Structures are given as C-alpha cells and as structure tokens.
Amino acid sequence: MKMFTVALIAIVVVVVAVALRPRIARADLLKEGQIAPPFTTQMVTGETEAPVSLADFHGKKVILYFYPKDETSGCTKEACAFRDGYARYTNAGLVVLGCSVDSAEAHKDFIRKNGLPFPLLLDPGKKIATAYGAANGIPILGLDRRITYVIDENGKVLKVYPSVDPSTHAIEILNDLGVANAAPPAQAKPAPPTSN
C-alpha cells in the first residue's frame, strides 16, 4: 500500500508539473537575409516620447535589441555596454534601439538612472517582440528573450544574435561589423573666402 501511495504521489506531481509548466508561444527567429518586419510604436528618448517606425531609419543600419526588463542586472549591464560604446556606434552611422515590454515611465527611469543616450521602444502588446521572435522568452513572467538583430540600410536582417552575453555583446556587434574603431565622420571644412 505504501508503494502504491508513493507511486500515486509521483504521478500526481508529474501531471501537475506538466499542466502548470509555462507555455512557450514564441515565433521563430528571423533569418539573415529576411526582410525585417515593419513596426510603428512610440520611442522614449530621455524624458520624451515620440512616434517611430522602422521605415524612419531606411538608409541606416539599425541595431534592434530586445531585453527582458528595465532595471534588472543583466539588462542594465547590456544597456550600459551599449551606452559606453555609443560614440562608436554613432561614428559608424549605426542606430541603436532597445525594446522591452516595460512602460514609458519605466523606460524614462531606466534611461535617467543609467544615462542611456539611445531610444527605448514601447511594446506593451508584444507585437514587435512577437514579429521578431523575442516574445515570451521568460514565459512565466511574460518577458521578452534577449535577442539582437542588425538590420541593414534596406530593411533586411543582416545579423542575428540569439544568444547574448550582456557585458560583451555591444562590442561584439561592433567587431562583427568591422567598425569597433570607427572614427568620427570627417567634418566638412568651410570654403576659404574668395577675394573679388
């Protein structure tokens, strides 16, 4: 009888674990060469919000990185790494956009506390994350997974980073794109005055 009870408890535990396990409902990751899904949302830059769409960046390379949550240790480390290398990104003509399910107020706090110079996208309905295969990376908490896409000037996926080390990822992208030591763009010199 004791053996039967133990077996029954074990079966119940397995059934409950299977029934309560988080459901993973995520889209497939995009592949290199694929057209990046268009999106339109609000972006938070500093204390301001403004409408933005992927089409606004046509002609520029975009680094679109998805992260689980503002103010968590890994996400802060990743954002600060992008912040620390931001001059190199802008010198190379690259646009950096972060995206998570956090609110505008959470993004503003995150930007303020960490001095982030790049915009964070709002994605409350997870439409962007779902289109890019980042939704429900941590299903039990409903948070995005950590993925980065490099989108080329014509809107195609140039590079996919499905596995990210938050502390080294920002420099990894610069190295992969061959712009880790990008110098500032040359300033046009004014023409010398002409004498009549």
Side-chain angles (χ1 to χ4, degrees), residues 119-156:
L120 300 178
L121 304 180
L122 296 178
D123 191 21
K126 296 186 182 192
K127 289 180 183 172
I128 302 169
T130 299
Y132 282 80
N136 298 324
I138 307 172
I140 200 157
L141 300 176
L143 302 177
D144 292 347
R145 59 200 276 206
R146 196 179 305 281
I147 300 169
T148 300
Y149 290 97
V150 177
I151 301 167
D152 75 10
E153 296 84 352
N154 298 309
K156 286 188 179 178

Side-chain angles (χ1 to χ4, degrees), residues 108-130:
K108 288 175 186 176
D109 288 344
F110 192 44
I111 289 168
R112 189 180 325 106
K113 287 179 186 173
N114 296 290
L116 304 182
F118 52 87
L120 300 178
L121 304 180
L122 296 178
D123 191 21
K126 296 186 182 192
K127 289 180 183 172
I128 302 169
T130 299

Side-chain angles (χ1 to χ4, degrees), residues 79-100:
C80 289
F82 277 112
R83 175 202 65 202
D84 295 346
Y86 190 67
R88 288 188 250 178
Y89 278 92
T90 57
N91 291 345
L94 304 170
V95 173
V96 176
L97 301 172
C99 187
S100 77

